[in-house]
Amino acid sequence: MISGVWYYVLITARRQAVLAPIVTLFAIVGIVYATDAGPPLAAATVPAAFLVPIGAWIIRLVATAESKPFADVTLVALGSGARRHVCRGAAALIFGLGLSTVATVWARIANTHHDYASGVVLTMVVMNVVLVIAGIGLGSLLSPPLRVTAGAGALAATIIALVSLVIRFVPPIGPVLDAYIARRTSGPIALVEATTVGAVAFLVAGVLGRRDR
Amino acid sequence: MVAPRAGKIARSERVGYLPQSSDEPPVRLRASSWLHLVARMKRSDAADVEAYARELGVDEALSGPLEALSVGTIAKVLLLGAFTASPGLIVLDEPFAPLDARSRDALTAMIERAASSGAGIVVSSHDEMPGLGGDHYVLQQGKLVPRAPGARRWRVLIGSSDGTVEHVVDAAGRDRLLREALDAGHEILAVEERS
C-alpha cells in the first residue's frame, strides 16, 4: 500500500498540471495576507475554504495521472479497486498536507500584527487539513474510475463550494466560516461535520468505483 | 476490466497483468522506477527482471523515461511489469502482438521458464501459439473448448493458370503457402478456418 501511495505521489508530482492548484493556493494566500488580514482564525478561513475545491482538483489530478493500460496494471498490482482508491486518496492527502502547511506558515509569517498562540496555529492546521480532506472526498466522487468529465467535475466542485459558501449551514465550508468568522456555531462541530462529509463522500466514491472501474 | 458475474476467485498473492498494447501515453517515470514500484506493490523482489529485460533487448531502455520510449518498447516494459509477479499468477493479454520475431521467441522462453518455476500463466491471443506448452483453449460462442496447440486448420484455395488447388494446413503452413503462392503470381481465392 505504501508503495502504491508513493507511486501516485510521484506520477502526479511529475505532471505539469499539478502546478495549477498549487499556484492557485499561493495566489489566494498571497492576496489574503498582502495587508493586515485581521484576526488569525477569521483570516485563515479564506484559504481553508479554497482548500475544498483545491483538494477536489488534486484528487482528480491523481486519479487521471495514468492512462488506462497503466491504471489497469496498478489495479492488479495493488489487488483491488478499494486499495487503489485508498492509495489515490492518501497521495492526494500528502499534497493537501503540504498546501495546508504552506497556508499556515504563510499566515504566521505574513500576518505580523496579530498574536499566533500555539492553540491558534493548531486550530488553523486542523481547519486546513479538515477542509482539504472534505475536498478530496468530494473530488473522489468526480474522478476516475467514476465517469465524470473534467468540465462536469470542475462545474460540480464549483457548485458544491458555492452552495456551501452561500447557504451557511451546508457543510463543509459554511459552518466553518460561521464558526470562525461570525462565531455563531461551534468550531469543533463544524470541523467534525466537514470531516464527515469528506469521509462519507470518499467511501461512497469507493463503493461506486467498484461497480464502475 | 469486466466485473465477474459469477463464481469466486481465489487470489494469488502476486498477480501480474499485461493489458493489450495501446498507444496511450505512459506515466511520467523512468522505466526502471516504474518496474521497481510495481514490483513493490506486489511485494516482489523482481529478481529476474534484469535477465528478462536482456532477453527482450530492453535492458538499456530501462534507465530512460517511459515517455521517451517507442510503443513497442513500452509494451515490453509492461510485459516485464507482469513478470515481476513470478512465481505468482501472470495474465497476458495479446502479449505477442506488438513484438518482433526475436522478441516473440524470447517471450515464449520466458513464459516456459516462469511456468517451470511455479508461476501460473494465462495467455490470451488471437494467434496460434504452437511453441507454448500447457493447456490450450479456443473461445467458441462464449465457451472455452480445449484444443491441442497447432490444431487449428485452414482451407486455402489457390487459383492458377493450371486450375484451382485446395490445401488444408496449420497456421504456419498457411502463412508459408500464401507467401509462396503470391510469389509465384497465383491468385488466392479463399482462406477460411475449418470448423
Side-chain angles (χ1 to χ4, degrees), chain A residues 1-4 6-7 10-11 14-16 65-70 72-80 83 210-211 213, chain B residues 1 3-4 11 13 15-20 22 24-30 34 37-38 40-43 66 74 78 81:
Chain A
M1 288 282 275
I2 292 171
S3 51
W6 183 232
Y7 166 75
L10 278 179
I11 62 171
R14 290 171 190 219
R15 294 187 74 182
Q16 197 174 358
E66 42 183 6
S67 57
K68 189 172 185 315
F70 282 83
D72 285 346
V73 170
T74 310
L75 174 65
V76 174
L78 286 170
S80 71
R83 288 185 192 178
R210 290 182 64 185
R211 296 186 307 194
R213 60 171 173 259
Chain B
M1 304 292 277
R11 187 175 171 271
E13 182 57 34
V15 182
Y17 173 60
L18 172 74
Q20 205 164 348
S22 82
E24 289 189 65
V27 291
R28 290 172 181 267
L29 285 175
R30 274 190 301 140
W34 180 78
L37 284 164
V38 168
R40 283 186 58 192
M41 286 181 217
K42 297 172 189 164
R43 297 190 184 92
L66 279 164
I74 289 171
L78 284 166

Side-chain angles (χ1 to χ4, degrees), chain A residues 22-208:
Chain A
I22 292 172
V23 170
T24 300
L25 185 83
F26 283 9
I28 291 160
V29 177
I31 291 166
V32 168
Y33 295 107
T35 56
D36 182 2
L41 287 178
T45 54
V46 180
F50 274 96
L51 279 171
V52 173
I54 286 173
W57 196 348
I58 288 173
I59 184 78
R60 184 162 176 105
L61 287 173
V62 172
T64 55
E66 42 183 6
S67 57
K68 189 172 185 315
F70 282 83
D72 285 346
V73 170
T74 310
L75 174 65
V76 174
L78 286 170
S80 71
R83 288 185 192 178
R84 184 175 69 176
H85 187 57
V86 170
C87 287
R88 284 175 172 175
L93 186 58
I94 287 172
F95 286 101
L97 290 175
L99 293 178
S100 298
T101 305
V102 167
T104 307
V105 171
W106 195 313
R108 179 70 186 84
I109 293 170
N111 204 14
T112 51
H113 303 293
H114 299 273
D115 180 33
Y116 277 79
S118 54
V120 169
V121 173
L122 181 64
T123 306
M124 285 171 62
V125 170
V126 173
M127 186 198 308
N128 288 332
V129 172
V130 160
L131 288 180
V132 90
I133 286 173
I136 289 168
L138 291 168
S140 64
L141 285 168
L142 310 171
S143 305
L146 301 179
R147 288 172 193 151
V148 181
T149 62
L155 188 64
T158 306
I159 289 171
I160 290 168
L162 283 177
V163 166
S164 182
L165 270 172
V166 175
I167 307 172
R168 286 298 185 87
F169 62 85
V170 176
I173 301 172
V176 174
L177 297 185
D178 251 8
Y180 293 104
I181 296 177
R183 296 188 175 277
R184 284 198 291 259
T185 53
S186 159
I189 290 175
L191 294 177
V192 169
E193 281 176 355
T195 309
T196 306
V197 166
V200 169
F202 191 74
L203 282 173
V204 170
V207 172
L208 293 177

Side-chain angles (χ1 to χ4, degrees), chain B residues 41-122:
Chain B
M41 286 181 217
K42 297 172 189 164
R43 297 190 184 92
S44 164
D45 56 7
D48 295 333
V49 163
E50 281 185 23
Y52 286 139
R54 273 194 298 277
E55 286 180 48
L56 288 173
V58 290
D59 47 329
E60 290 180 7
L62 295 186
S63 57
L66 279 164
E67 65 261 34
L69 303 178
S70 67
V71 172
T73 308
I74 289 171
K76 291 177 185 176
V77 174
L78 284 166
L79 196 52
L80 292 173
F83 273 83
T84 57
S86 183
L89 174 64
I90 301 171
V91 180
L92 307 173
D93 189 1
E94 299 287 351
F96 295 98
L99 301 182
D100 52 69
R102 181 182 160 276
S103 299
R104 287 180 180 212
D105 291 342
L107 175 58
T108 302
M110 284 165 60
I111 290 173
E112 294 290 349
R113 198 160 71 244
S116 65
S117 68
I121 302 181
V122 179

